Amino acid sequence: MTTSPVKSLIDEQLEEIITRFQACNVGNMWHIHDRVTGKTAGFCVSHRAALVRAQQLEVMHGR
């Protein structure tokens, strides 16, 4: 007999902290990485632009 895992308060807090989209420097470009799908969601030249775009994507995807 198996039981379903119970979410703890810490698990719920971690879900809020962890963002879906992350800016990663790859070569001369900043990639916006979607951690749910494992794919690149976009590219930017500067770190600041990549962070802004990642935040926009978070909002669009309901986080």
Side-chain angles (χ1 to χ4, degrees), residues 23-32 40 43-44:
C24 303
N25 188 356
V26 181
N28 293 330
M29 297 290 291
W30 284 87
H31 292 216
I32 294 100
T40 299
F43 304 93
C44 292

Side-chain angles (χ1 to χ4, degrees), residues 10 17 24-25 32 39-40 46-47 53-54 58-60 63:
I10 292 172
I17 293 170
C24 303
N25 188 356
I32 294 100
K39 297 182 179 182
T40 299
S46 72
H47 181 243
R53 183 65 183 140
E58 291 286 339
V59 171
M60 286 175 44
R63 291 274 320 202

Side-chain angles (χ1 to χ4, degrees), residues 8-36:
S8 71
L9 181 59
I10 292 172
D11 292 332
E12 290 177 10
Q13 290 172 343
L14 284 174
E15 284 179 3
E16 292 176 10
I17 293 170
I18 296 173
T19 57
R20 176 174 177 173
F21 297 95
Q22 180 179 26
C24 303
N25 188 356
V26 181
N28 293 330
M29 297 290 291
W30 284 87
H31 292 216
I32 294 100
H33 180 76
D34 184 341
R35 293 167 27 159
V36 171

